[in-house]
Amino acid sequence: MDQQKQQSRAQGRQEDRRETPGIVGPGSNAPGLVILTGAGISRESGLATFRDPDGLWAKVRVEDVATPQAFARDPARVQAFYDARRVQLRDPAIQPNAAHHALAHLAREHPGPVLVVTQNVDDLHERAGQSRLLHMHGELAKARCLNCNEVSPFERAGLAGASCPACSAKALRPHVVWFGEMPLHMDEIECWLTSSCSLFVAVGTSGQVHPAAGFAETARAHGARTLELNLEPTELTRSFDEARHGPATELVPAWVDEVIRLHVALATDEQAATPATHD
Ligand code: BJW
């Protein structure tokens, strides 16, 4: 499709849209929601963010633990960093919070498709029952074999000493995406952002890491409305159509209720407007 056609299609979709972000009438064409989550959504579950004053990067240097070069230079240090976080994730105190649950509820109740793309390596969305979820920065509770590439579950400390279940090599690394590595599921994410997204919502992310930081702009260029839900304004706030600030456990359930209530009201209006048929 040439650029002009693409622009007028996006413009047409924008004109059809109502003022409330993401709310399109029932029966409309694929009113897809794409929700990008970041570390802020898991903070109230007890997991630290990265760039807040009490975040992980205030305690360790990125260059020492989250790059392929760091792993090549000092694998034991990198493995220890991820072993500790993996163990923390299995602490019974770490549970999905109201924001994770609300997004899972939204996915069940929304009449159109919903995709959650998370930058988080924790599994709190899954544990809340999220059905359609992509982990673009990998998963803490999995390991990847440097010998055969197999990805396998790994839920405890001691990854360095463990063997790959597929090839038996002692060559397992954390299944996470470090700086300089290609994030996962990019084709699928790109496809949603450019063709199935009427509303893009970013929850609890500082918008400082690419390519995720560019998703709102991509979705917007293809006709989506954009909404930021974050504790405080970010560098990207001004580029969203709307921004709401406060803790995720308050903002997300309130927004989800709003979306669901509006869909119910629209469905009721539509039913009332449809002439009754008699046999
Ligand atoms: C709350 C809250 C509450 C708190 N309620 N909110 C120069 C320019 C542009 C790009 C680059 C550049 N130089 C290098 C790059 C590329 C680089 C990059 O972006 N660097 C920047 C830092 C400049 N990116 C990469 O290398 C990526 N790969 C790549 O680009 O490949 C090429 C490519 C390009 C295009 C297409 C395809 C491929 C890989 C990035 C890998 C990131 N990895 C990490 C570690 C993962 C493993 C682990 O967990 O250890 O991922 S880094 C870390 O940052 C982690 C996160 O997922 C990611 C994002 O952080 P997030 O989630 O936003 O957390 P915070 O802490 O930053 O923000 C939390 C927010 O929550 C804050 O705003 C709070 O206010 C808020 N909050 N409490 C609501 N209760």
Side-chain angles (χ1 to χ4, degrees):
M1 197 187 305
D2 64 34
Q3 208 183 356
Q4 214 175 1
K5 271 191 199 156
Q6 210 167 21
Q7 267 174 351
S8 71
R9 211 185 95 192
Q11 209 172 5
R13 286 173 60 197
Q14 256 167 348
E15 279 161 9
D16 286 346
R17 206 156 292 126
R18 290 158 195 258
E19 276 308 293
T20 309
I23 309 301
V24 289
S28 58
N29 288 337
L33 307 188
V34 178
I35 300 154
L36 172 72
T37 65
I41 197 171
S42 296
R43 193 185 192 189
E44 292 163 85
S45 291
L47 297 176
T49 62
F50 293 92
R51 295 170 186 82
D52 286 308
D54 58 351
L56 289 173
W57 297 159
K59 299 185 177 85
V60 284
R61 287 177 356 125
V62 175
E63 303 79 26
D64 289 337
V65 293
T67 67
Q69 294 78 7
F71 189 59
R73 202 171 46 241
D74 191 348
R77 177 161 191 190
V78 174
Q79 294 281 21
F81 175 68
Y82 285 97
D83 275 356
R85 288 175 59 200
R86 213 177 292 115
V87 168
Q88 183 197 20
L89 189 58
R90 289 294 168 256
D91 181 328
I94 306 294
Q95 295 295 334
N97 63 45
H100 299 102
H101 285 295
L103 292 182
H105 178 62
L106 177 67
R108 284 191 297 270
E109 297 297 320
H110 190 263
V114 176
L115 174 70
V116 175
V117 177
T118 188
Q119 298 169 86
N120 300 341
V121 297
D122 67 53
D123 59 358
L124 298 182
H125 283 300
E126 290 91 320
R127 288 202 244 159
Q130 189 64 57
S131 46
R132 208 181 240 152
L133 172 71
L134 297 177
H135 276 278
M136 66 176 291
H137 290 164
E139 294 170 72
L140 195 51
K142 290 186 179 167
R144 189 162 79 245
C145 180
L146 292 166
N147 187 46
C148 73
N149 241 1
E150 176 82 0
V151 174
S152 53
F154 196 85
E155 307 250 344
R156 52 186 175 82
L159 187 60
S163 305
C164 171
C167 73
S168 304
K170 279 199 171 174
L172 296 176
R173 61 160 275 184
H175 182 49
V176 300
V177 177
W178 290 319
F179 283 106
E181 296 185 322
M182 182 68 87
L184 308 173
H185 312 293
M186 285 307 296
D187 289 349
E188 197 175 339
I189 295 168
E190 189 75 12
C191 182
W192 273 76
L193 293 175
T194 57
S195 62
S196 310
C197 180
S198 65
L199 172 67
F200 175 87
V201 188
V203 181
T205 175
S206 62
Q208 292 192 38
V209 175
H210 291 266
F215 288 173
E217 201 183 314
T218 303
R220 205 166 183 221
H222 289 81
R225 286 184 62 79
T226 56
L227 169 68
E228 177 184 70
L229 302 176
N230 201 63
L231 188 63
E232 56 196 13
T234 68
E235 282 169 30
L236 296 184
T237 297
R238 286 154 63 97
S239 64
F240 282 83
D241 293 313
E242 185 187 339
R244 300 179 188 180
H245 297 124
T249 55
E250 291 175 18
L251 291 185
V252 178
W255 169 71
V256 166
D257 273 1
E258 222 174 277
V259 172
I260 290 172
R261 265 192 281 114
L262 222 102
H263 273 299
V264 170
L266 288 171
T268 311
D269 284 355
E270 202 169 74
Q271 234 173 11
T274 308
T277 51
H278 301 284
D279 291 332

